[in-house]
Amino acid sequence: MLKGHQSWIFNSKPVILSSAAVGGPFEAQGPLGSDFDLLHEDIWLGQDSYEKAEKKFLEQACEIAIQKANLKKEDIQFFISGDLMNQIISSSFAARTIGAPYLGIFGACSSSMEGLAIASLLIASKSAEYVVSATSSHNASAEKQFRYPTEYGSQKPPTAQWTVTGAGAALLAQEGDGPRVTSATIGRVIDMGISDPFNMGSAMAPAAVDTIEAHFRDFNISPDYYDVIATGDLGKIGHRIAGDLLAEHGLKIPREILTDCGILIYKKEQPVIAGGSGCACSATVTYGHFLNRMRKGELKRILIIATGALLSPLSYQQKESIPCIAHAVSIEM
Amino acid sequence: MSSKKNKKLTPVQQKYQSFAKAREPKPSVLRNCMRAFVSGGAICTFGQFLQWVFMTYFDFNEITAGNPTVAVLIIISVLLTGFGAYDHIAQWAGAGTIIPVTGFANTVASASIEHRSEGFVLGVGGNMFKLAGSVIAYGVFSAFVVAIIKITIQSLGGI
């Protein structure tokens, strides 16, 4: 049901029956390593290309989520997925394996919450019994497509971020036990004219701020309603900018509530420069870490704002600025 | 907001960009220059050492020793690229490892390795010079322009 300008409220509260997070070796070394369901030592996963490895990550996340809910692939009515690869091949190829009716989406790194919002809408409108929403990213395949070859020796600036290798999946149902999706706010495309692909945090921060403000305006609640408000992958720099920008706009979010998945996923000592990024950043942290904490009773209400930079390798070479988007989903226990 | 050459940022965008700039860490130019000096200098000193080895222990003179010296440097940097060490060294060294011939070898090798999954023809062959191509194109063109200038000055009775 529409609420305010750009939000949906799900009165039936779709349940996240199960969720899964799969990660690579770098994620395993991070502080959230124990929240992953499966960790791989090899970023190739025994495949002969990074793209195939990414697809494998996504398939595994979906399989684990389905298995955890004691369901079979055939029970899944719709599969919603998105990723960063050209023509979202990881998602479509994983959908070929899963065999469920499939909706491919692209919201860059915001795909995780875009997928979760659409899946919740399908469940809330009684259009489906079981829906899987998933997303993936792979450090090497993203570097290959968007930047330089992985072994190329260029020095990255202090604003650069590290794409998370992994995949996250959530299985939603009409009824059952687990965290429930209560509302979602769909973001607008915001472009502040930043065109440096090594500075995604600054480019995406205004989009996150816009969506957060829209969310609190539409629902007329205050930030302390939530135990955690986490942006997707702003990294250290974008997180600081977003916090300051929100304060400047008069929306004060306590420091201990506002956090960022891109900061949480890696340790300070890991050479990730400004933090994590990629579709799998918000997906693995939300579907692994945050949902685990909710199930343990440590968190009651969380708001995840997945941020995405809607650029293509061509658009930035043609000196276009980077349009950004953010989608917020609120999950309550 | 499209990318016309005379692109103008709106006042809101300009305000945001200076807001963001104030919160972004700046790359340390001095530190990067020092590191580039040390690492680039080390590579060049090592090259000088190789040249001395070729001149002392092999049958090369100061001019002909250049080729085997460069070949050894290229082989080393290609191996370091293949073993996944070069990019880590370069993150520290910056321009120090890009400017010497080792950087050129790294661009070719890294692109070849990266696109091996697309096969030898469309992958390795087609992408090998993806990054190095512009260096070759403009390098050859610059050499051509410099040569023309030199010939013109010589024919005018210059040096």
Side-chain angles (χ1 to χ4, degrees):
Chain A
M1 202 174 83
L2 182 69
K3 176 94 177 162
H5 284 283
Q6 56 195 83
S7 299
W8 295 327
I9 184 160
F10 305 119
N11 292 322
S12 69
K13 296 182 181 166
V15 185
I16 302 177
L17 264 193
S18 63
S19 63
V22 184
F26 219 61
E27 290 64 38
Q29 291 164 17
L32 309 183
S34 58
D35 282 315
F36 284 84
D37 296 279
L38 184 61
L39 288 160
H40 289 279
E41 208 176 312
D42 173 24
I43 58 166
W44 292 87
L45 264 67
Q47 306 293 308
D48 53 19
S49 75
Y50 296 134
E51 290 76 11
K52 286 180 190 164
E54 182 176 336
K55 179 201 72 180
K56 199 88 186 155
F57 271 109
L58 188 54
E59 286 174 2
Q60 287 179 341
C62 297
E63 279 160 12
I64 294 170
I66 295 169
Q67 210 173 23
K68 273 172 143 182
N70 288 322
L71 293 170
K72 291 191 295 291
K73 275 187 209 165
E74 297 74 43
D75 300 320
I76 306 307
Q77 269 130 7
F78 297 100
F79 172 55
I80 302 171
S81 183
D83 60 87
L84 294 175
M85 292 293 96
N86 285 340
Q87 287 78 40
I88 54 166
I89 48 171
S90 312
S91 297
S92 305
F93 289 16
R96 180 178 66 186
T97 311
I98 291 162
Y102 157 68
L103 288 166
I105 54 169
F106 181 79
C109 310
S110 72
S111 301
S112 56
M113 290 306 122
E114 183 180 352
L116 189 61
I118 299 171
S120 305
L121 199 61
L122 288 179
I123 296 284
S125 66
K126 308 251 183 293
S127 308
E129 288 288 328
Y130 299 108
V131 180
V132 169
S133 165
T135 179
S136 67
S137 61
H138 192 297
N139 181 276
S141 67
E143 288 290 317
K144 179 177 177 179
Q145 179 178 300
F146 287 98
R147 298 182 189 102
Y148 298 116
T150 41
E151 300 302 334
Y152 176 52
S154 69
Q155 194 178 39
K156 290 193 174 134
T159 48
Q161 287 173 257
W162 177 274
T163 307
V164 172
T165 303
L171 197 158
L172 282 92
Q174 298 278 1
E175 272 165 44
D177 289 328
R180 289 167 174 270
V181 181
T182 50
S183 65
T185 301
I186 303 301
R188 300 185 297 154
V189 173
I190 306 283
D191 189 334
M192 282 298 172
I194 288 175
S195 54
D196 177 8
F198 285 108
N199 191 5
M200 296 292 202
S202 302
M204 296 190 297
V209 168
D210 189 77
T211 303
I212 292 170
E213 285 174 344
H215 183 81
F216 290 115
R217 184 197 61 219
D218 285 353
F219 290 98
N220 197 20
I221 47 176
S222 77
D224 52 19
Y225 177 83
Y226 293 105
D227 299 324
V228 160
I229 297 173
T231 46
D233 57 352
L234 295 181
K236 274 179 258 177
I237 296 151
H239 177 66
R240 188 175 157 211
I241 295 172
D244 289 355
L245 206 57
L246 283 164
E248 204 188 70
H249 292 189
L251 190 68
K252 286 213 171 55
I253 301 181
R255 201 172 277 264
E256 59 277 12
I257 297 181
L258 185 67
T259 184
D260 181 69
C261 300
I263 298 174
L264 294 173
I265 192 163
Y266 296 118
K267 283 187 191 142
K268 274 205 181 95
E269 310 87 79
Q270 286 181 288
V272 294
I273 315 178
S277 71
C279 299
C281 185
S282 54
T284 55
V285 174
T286 306
Y287 298 151
H289 178 66
F290 283 134
L291 291 189
N292 282 348
R293 286 187 66 190
M294 292 186 92
R295 291 186 193 108
K296 279 185 217 152
E298 291 171 17
L299 298 171
K300 290 268 173 261
R301 299 168 177 146
I302 63 169
L303 182 71
I304 309 294
I305 307 100
T307 40
L310 305 172
L311 81 168
S312 91
L314 271 183
S315 75
Y316 87 80
Q317 282 173 0
Q318 293 173 354
K319 310 279 186 292
E320 284 271 8
S321 53
I322 305 173
C324 295
I325 195 160
H327 302 298
V329 174
S330 121
I331 306 170
E332 298 182 23
M333 194 65 199
Chain B
M1 261 177 262
S2 76
S3 68
K4 294 280 175 317
K5 265 214 168 131
N6 54 356
K7 164 175 167 175
K8 293 232 168 59
L9 293 170
T10 64
V12 179
Q13 286 178 322
Q14 284 171 4
K15 190 169 163 245
Y16 173 71
Q17 292 204 357
S18 52
F19 182 88
K21 261 269 158 332
R23 285 157 182 80
E24 287 164 13
K26 281 157 201 66
S28 169
V29 176
L30 188 71
R31 195 182 64 188
N32 283 341
C33 286
M34 294 292 283
R35 285 178 176 184
F37 178 78
V38 172
S39 52
I43 293 170
C44 296
T45 312
F46 179 63
Q48 198 64 48
F49 167 74
L50 287 174
Q51 193 191 31
W52 173 81
V53 168
F54 282 114
M55 282 161 62
T56 314
Y57 298 102
F58 299 91
D59 189 20
F60 289 104
N61 61 34
E62 207 176 306
I63 293 162
T64 54
N67 285 341
T69 302
V70 169
V72 169
L73 286 173
I74 287 174
I75 291 166
I76 292 172
S77 59
V78 167
L79 285 175
L80 285 174
T81 305
F83 290 127
Y86 198 94
D87 54 331
H88 297 290
I89 300 170
Q91 178 64 28
W92 187 88
T97 45
I98 287 189
I99 306 296
V101 70
T102 51
F104 190 74
N106 167 254
T107 55
V108 177
S110 63
S112 310
I113 295 168
E114 189 85 343
H115 292 280
R116 172 65 189 87
S117 52
E118 285 86 69
F120 281 113
V121 177
L122 295 176
V124 177
N127 290 291
M128 184 182 276
F129 298 109
K130 190 165 87 168
L131 298 163
S134 52
V135 181
I136 297 174
Y138 296 112
V140 170
F141 180 68
S142 318
F144 173 74
V145 172
V146 170
I148 296 272
I149 294 170
K150 188 187 169 193
I151 291 166
T152 317
I153 293 174
Q154 272 177 343
S155 64
L156 290 173
I159 331 138

